Amino acid sequence: MLTIGRLGQAAGVKVPTIRYYEQIGLLPPADRSAGNQRIYDRATLDRLSFIRHARELGFSLEAIRDLLSLSDKPDQSCAAADAIAKAQLQAVQARIARLRALQTELHRMIDQCACGTIRDCRVIETLGDHSLCAQDHGAEA
Amino acid sequence: MLTIGRLGQAAGVKVPTIRYYEQIGLLPPADRSAGNQRIYDRATLDRLSFIRHARELGFSLEAIRDLLSLSDKPDQSCAAADAIAKAQLQAVQARIARLRALQTELHRMIDQCACGTIRDCRVIETLGDHSLCAQDHGAEA
DNA sequence: CTAGGGGCTCTAGTCGCTATAGCTTCAAGG
DNA sequence: CCTTGAAGCTATAGCGACTAGAGCCCCTAG
């Protein structure tokens, strides 16, 4: 049996975050001690560790909610879990592609800067005039 | 002279976003017509285009605020502008590196899934047990 | 028995918008 | 001149995923 602080330490999650997860229903309402303090068991630690790991991999809380409810039904097909993971992989790949375009453009911008005055600064100039860009770098990161 | 709608179209920025930028002081308070509607000149279009382009490159509004105030002082050294751009480049590179680690881990997870039941699902299992991960994929995207 | 460290609730703030509600103004057509 | 509908206005609240603060209570060690 764990207090919220120990649970947080064990799972690598901050205490207010645990309370937040409870509030939004990602964790079930915790049992309380005589003095109204939350007490947790090992199963909750596992669940919280799952959440933390999924967050580290970039899953949204919504996706995690789905994954958790799947993991509670061991006999079902895991196709749905797979689909969520694949969507996440695609999202990650899209973000990488976009960031690479940004990286290129930022590099170009910085390389061209002769580091004189603002008047001649390519960084400022390039920002002001999109047509100076070599590539597209659409919206949304 | 432009209405807010035309300005938005010209710069590729939505109308509420323009009002928001004014509210937080990124754009100066607009002049008003007789009927209290905002009217804009070309200079504001340039400023807004600058903001939009910088946003597309991932700069924060705070960084853009700094860049704009620099661009108003053409005689100063552009070292400060350079520093902001370099910091942005570094941030982008860090995010790419992190996303690549995520990509690898997601790939591994999905590849190992034999697509049977949840009980045997490597996706769910891997999420529940960080030690199954090949690499580190620290916090923060 | 008291000190301090952890726990509790509730509220507000972060970032960069976006959406809604309910109003006024403007430009074009009849 | 009047109507209609688009576009404008203000003000407020919401998103995701927390984080920070205020002000209180509880529990354990010395």
Side-chain angles (χ1 to χ4, degrees):
Chain A
M1 290 300 173
L2 301 159
T3 63
I4 196 170
R6 287 187 186 288
L7 176 68
Q9 270 202 309
V13 174
K14 288 183 191 152
V15 167
T17 304
I18 297 172
R19 288 196 278 247
Y20 169 71
Y21 287 164
E22 179 179 321
Q23 186 189 310
I24 63 168
L26 206 59
L27 291 176
D31 290 338
R32 301 298 183 113
S33 73
N36 196 36
Q37 304 198 188
R38 288 172 180 83
I39 40 180
Y40 296 97
D41 55 11
R42 204 128 285 272
T44 307
L45 173 54
D46 288 346
R47 196 175 175 90
L48 184 56
S49 302
F50 183 104
I51 295 171
R52 187 211 163 182
H53 193 195
R55 283 297 297 142
E56 279 176 359
L57 287 168
F59 288 89
S60 71
L61 293 185
E62 251 332 280
I64 293 172
R65 205 185 288 273
D66 293 345
L67 287 168
L68 280 169
S69 87
L70 287 171
S71 79
D72 289 339
K73 302 170 195 153
D75 291 327
Q76 288 208 333
S77 149
C78 80
D82 233 53
I84 295 171
K86 279 178 180 155
Q88 176 61 17
L89 177 58
Q90 281 215 326
V92 165
Q93 284 169 340
R95 291 178 68 192
I96 290 173
R98 159 130 166 93
L99 285 170
R100 279 234 264 260
L102 298 195
Q103 184 186 25
T104 305
E105 210 52 64
L106 285 166
H107 245 319
R108 247 171 47 85
M109 207 165 89
I110 292 166
D111 286 351
Q112 288 181 350
C113 182
C115 271
T117 60
I118 293 282
R119 191 189 316 282
D120 312 312
C121 182
R122 289 291 284 182
V123 170
I124 297 289
E125 190 187 351
T126 305
L127 286 172
D129 187 354
H130 188 129
S131 71
L132 297 175
C133 285
Q135 303 175 296
D136 254 14
H137 46 75
E140 224 274 306
Chain B
M1 288 300 173
L2 302 159
T3 64
I4 195 169
R6 288 186 185 288
L7 175 69
Q9 270 202 309
V13 174
K14 287 182 191 150
V15 167
T17 304
I18 297 171
R19 288 196 277 248
Y20 169 70
Y21 287 164
E22 179 179 321
Q23 187 189 311
I24 63 168
L26 207 58
L27 291 176
D31 290 338
R32 300 299 181 113
S33 72
N36 196 35
Q37 302 198 189
R38 288 172 180 84
I39 39 179
Y40 296 97
D41 55 10
R42 204 128 284 272
T44 307
L45 174 54
D46 288 346
R47 196 174 175 90
L48 184 56
S49 302
F50 183 103
I51 294 170
R52 186 209 163 184
H53 193 194
R55 283 298 297 144
E56 279 175 358
L57 287 168
F59 288 89
S60 71
L61 292 185
E62 251 332 281
I64 293 172
R65 204 186 288 273
D66 292 346
L67 287 167
L68 280 169
S69 87
L70 287 171
S71 79
D72 290 338
K73 303 172 196 152
D75 292 326
Q76 287 207 338
S77 150
C78 79
D82 233 53
I84 294 171
K86 279 179 180 156
Q88 176 61 17
L89 178 57
Q90 280 215 326
V92 165
Q93 284 169 341
R95 290 178 68 192
I96 290 173
R98 160 132 165 91
L99 285 169
R100 279 233 265 258
L102 299 193
Q103 184 186 24
T104 305
E105 210 51 63
L106 286 166
H107 245 318
R108 247 171 48 86
M109 208 164 88
I110 291 165
D111 285 352
Q112 289 181 350
C113 182
C115 271
T117 59
I118 292 282
R119 192 191 313 283
D120 312 311
C121 183
R122 287 291 284 181
V123 171
I124 297 288
E125 189 186 351
T126 305
L127 285 173
D129 188 353
H130 188 128
S131 72
L132 297 175
C133 285
Q135 303 175 298
D136 255 13
H137 45 75
E140 225 274 304

